[in-house]
């Protein structure tokens, strides 16, 4: 069986968690969130964490749970709405927040994972985001320098993995999971199902096994929906 | 519908969306913001193919799913459940914004709190209020080929929103191409040109617009 | 039928070819080479072309054919071996060549397509490649600034596309085709087969349709192999 | 096999590859250069899983295909036909070098024309001769975690190749971790340390090495 597979989230994180580390997490809202791994981080009791993650969870989901237990010192995120405890800690000055445009955030993770310590972008030029950043002109247009992010640990939620760690995601649950995975010095992935090597189409691997050091099967999942919007069959 | 001290008329939210939809062209790839911009999808002209992008990693957004067919793995950037279409494609967030930043999306429609006469846009934070973050808005206004803003002409207190210079922190500097309000449409051909008043809602006069706009524009 | 589909390569390139333009081409050696489109460029007679392409073809294949007709002014490539006409023109000073490390070349195309005008990399620091380039120190290590590339036209060879331009590649023929496609102001793709919308798995699209402006079916292909290496069945 | 003016012995090409293979560890992802480095694949220890990366866009390189099963769409970085394995994965060139540059590949083995005592490597051009290009070599030496060079100890004219400073244009500066020649193995624990002579081929003496090496090293 797979050498990368661990029996549960706590085992998979053994030796990787320390106070004050930088953790990159996949997920967009509650979609594609590495919930088993985040729960295990909470149970470990490590504190002073910095999370680079598009969102900060909602009140009792995802990183939101770690905010309640005050294990998070800083968030690097693009959007942190829908979270009362976050709001309280932020306004009380207990939580540091670095707002980063969503595309810049994704690219910073991808860059860190790709050995690129800095890149130039138009995004945020002339706004608060540009403050303190180097501005450079290319072909008569200004760009700001953004830094690649390398995280101590990446937490990722995927759909399926083969025994060797080749990973595929499902629909929009892919989101930040790929850039997060690549920027981690160590990447731990929770999946819904492990399949034998040879079961996945080699042309359709979203995250090749080289990026995956440890895995767990997190199933069964009771996936939550933030905003349930539907149309009625009669209207169709 | 909306009453701006004395003006009985003005476009409805849906009419504003319909006006924005007139800017669509066949084959366009489009990103729609939350609120009125989302309604633009209902006004794509018959026979025209427009593909909607969702910045959380999808091209080809379908309608809301039928009741009972909601899929937690299939949401739009507003975190609402959606459905897929035959030509949908999924990708990760880095790829999604490579597409946006790289100028591959033809058009975005989004809301705003303030627009300046030089095309600056403010729509992400109000000093003193809880900041939720800019999400993908800064990337969209920096990268998409054409930026259309749809907003009420005046704030709730009656103050103009199309003004000489934004007072709120910017989302983007000199990026807006067209402003559609409930009263009028302003457009400019490029980012070095001033905005021009090109349309007014029925019954609205040029004087009505002038009285409710502090931005300089060509009429 | 597809609005992006053209009857042949010449029709698909109509209006896009001019003297002195910059063309990005996919392919690695002869693998995944947009041969129908390159043939049509040759037949068009345009000259003064700059090609950004990992290789320069071999003597009578790929860009090699355009070298014979002297339509190429400059190559931006990582490796140009196995091409006598190239060698002759290069040594005679008739052809300008910018050598670029293979990974930097791929990233420059990806960056250009992603709205990134410049990025920093360790690759080439302290070598001839670094000459004339800005050096910047991040976290006690030197990096050089490399520029994103935006091409006037991208030529791509893929396996299948659906009617709306969603594209998939086969095995190692993917190579530079994806970064080349994304960096083109206009991208023309030749495929082996067009399939109806809905035939391709939306989780497995390598190049979403937004990047593809025009397509042709280039089949049938007589794919060439540069170095045929095999093992005998007896040895297995 | 090789005779270096008076030394009767020395490792064969295959023995050099076998020595490089001793540096493999279970679970490693490895990129092998053309020539002797390719032979390393034949010496992966029994029971050890090593995944080979090909910089043209593949993880999990399989052996050469059976005759008649060659596939023009399936080649390695040397443009040779290969086969796939159950755990193979394909990706594009930008992704492939993101992997390499980002330090995700554990080990690379490659050839060289010159190595300096400070770990510089020259293996891509000879001034005055036709330049073919550096291919992916500069990216590999800059990005891979451990760089092993396998080369003949001396050039054909008998001159040393492990020298104080490279005379040829560099492929990478201060990047090499281990040098395996037909006569000896030199290694260093990090890029601030000097190389140490850690092994010699059977019958080769420290004096033989010293006489054929101008680089400074610890013996």
């Amino acid at each position: 069986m797979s050498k990368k597979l661990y029996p549960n989230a706590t085992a998979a994180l053994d030796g990787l968690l320390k106070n004050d580390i930088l953790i990159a997490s996949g997920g967009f809202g509650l979609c594609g969130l590495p919930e088993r791994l985040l729960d295990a981080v909470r149970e470990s009791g490590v504190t002073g964490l910095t999370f680079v993650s598009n969102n900060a969870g909602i009140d009792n989901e995802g990183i939101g749970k770690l905010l309640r237990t005050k294990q998070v010192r800083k968030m690097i995120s693009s959007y942190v709405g829908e979270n009362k405890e976050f709001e309280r800690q932020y306004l009380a000055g207990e939580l540091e927040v670095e707002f980063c445009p969503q595309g810049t955030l994704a690219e910073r993770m991808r860059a860190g994972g790709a050995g690129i310590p800095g890149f130039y972008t138009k995004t945020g030029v002339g706004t608060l985001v540009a403050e303190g950043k180097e501005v450079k002109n290319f072909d008569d247009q200004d760009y700001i320098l953004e830094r690649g992010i390398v995280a101590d640990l990446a937490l990722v939620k995927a759909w399926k993995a083969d025994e060797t760690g080749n990973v595929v995601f499902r629909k929009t649950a892919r989101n930040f999971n790929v850039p997060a995975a690549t920027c981690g010095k160590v990447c731990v992935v929770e999946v819904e199902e492990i399949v034998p090597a040879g079961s996945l189409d080699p042309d359709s691997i979203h995250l090749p096994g080289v990026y995956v050091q440890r895995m767990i099967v997190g199933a069964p999942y009771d996936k939550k929906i933030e905003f349930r919007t539907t149309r009625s069959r009669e209207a169709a | 519908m909306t009453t701006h001290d004395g003006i009985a008329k003005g476009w409805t939210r849906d009419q504003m969306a319909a006006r924005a939809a007139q800017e669509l062209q066949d084959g366009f790839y489009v990103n729609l913001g939350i609120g009125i911009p989302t309604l633009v999808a209902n006004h794509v002209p018959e026979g025209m193919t427009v593909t909607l992008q969702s910045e959380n990693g999808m091209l080809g957004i379908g309608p809301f799913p039928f009741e009972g067919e909601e899929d937690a793995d299939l949401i739009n950037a507003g975190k609402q459940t959606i459905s897929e279409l035959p030509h949908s494609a999924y990708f990760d967030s880095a790829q999604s914004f490579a597409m946006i930043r790289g100028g591959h999306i033809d058009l975005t429609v989004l809301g705003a709190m303030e627009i300046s006469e030089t095309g600056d846009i403010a729509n992400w934070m109000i000093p003193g209020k809880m900041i939720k973050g800019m999400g993908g808005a800064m990337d969209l206004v920096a990268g998409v080929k054409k930026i259309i803003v749809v907003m009420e002409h005046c704030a709730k207190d009656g103050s103009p929103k199309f003004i000489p210079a934004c007072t709120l922190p910017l989302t983007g500097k000199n990026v807006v191409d067209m402003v559609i309000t409930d009263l009028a449409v302003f457009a400019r051909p490029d980012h070095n040109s001033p905005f021009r008043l090109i349309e007014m809602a029925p019954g609205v006069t040029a004087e009505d617009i002038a009285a409710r706009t502090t931005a300089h524009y060509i009429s």
Side-chain angles (χ1 to χ4, degrees), chain A residues 103-119:
Chain A
T104 297
L105 188 67
E107 189 68 17
R108 289 179 65 191
M109 293 187 190
R110 190 230 171 236
I116 293 172
F119 61 89

Side-chain angles (χ1 to χ4, degrees), chain B residues 110 112 114-122 141 146-150 162 172-180 186-188 190-191 193 195:
Chain B
L110 65 175
E114 292 179 346
I115 300 295
S116 83
E117 63 189 37
T118 54
D120 300 350
I121 175 172
V141 299
K146 182 168 184 175
I147 314 293
I148 298 180
V149 168
V150 175
F162 186 33
K173 200 168 174 58
N174 190 12
V175 294
V176 176
D177 297 288
M178 179 178 269
V179 181
I180 299 172
F186 302 89
R188 56 178 185 165
D190 58 63
H191 291 185
S193 302
F195 282 92

Side-chain angles (χ1 to χ4, degrees), chain A residues 55 78-80 87 102-104 121-123 170-172 174-176 223 227-231 233 236, chain B residues 64-67 69-71 73 75 78 80-81 84 90 93 97 101 130 132-135 139 142:
Chain A
N55 312 101
S78 88
Y79 191 79
V80 298
E87 192 164 335
Q102 194 173 145
T104 297
T121 176
K122 273 186 297 191
T123 302
R170 190 169 170 276
K171 304 187 187 285
T172 56
R174 198 182 318 178
N175 58 60
F176 275 84
K223 295 180 192 171
F227 301 108
R228 187 176 300 269
T229 43
T230 60
R231 60 188 152 144
R233 288 187 184 277
Chain B
F64 291 149
F66 289 120
E67 285 169 33
E69 294 184 359
E70 309 91 314
D71 184 337
D73 288 341
I75 63 171
Q80 299 170 313
T81 46
E84 73 183 25
Y90 300 103
S93 298
F97 283 93
R101 198 189 310 103
M130 177 65 196
K132 302 219 162 187
M134 70 291 281
D139 306 284

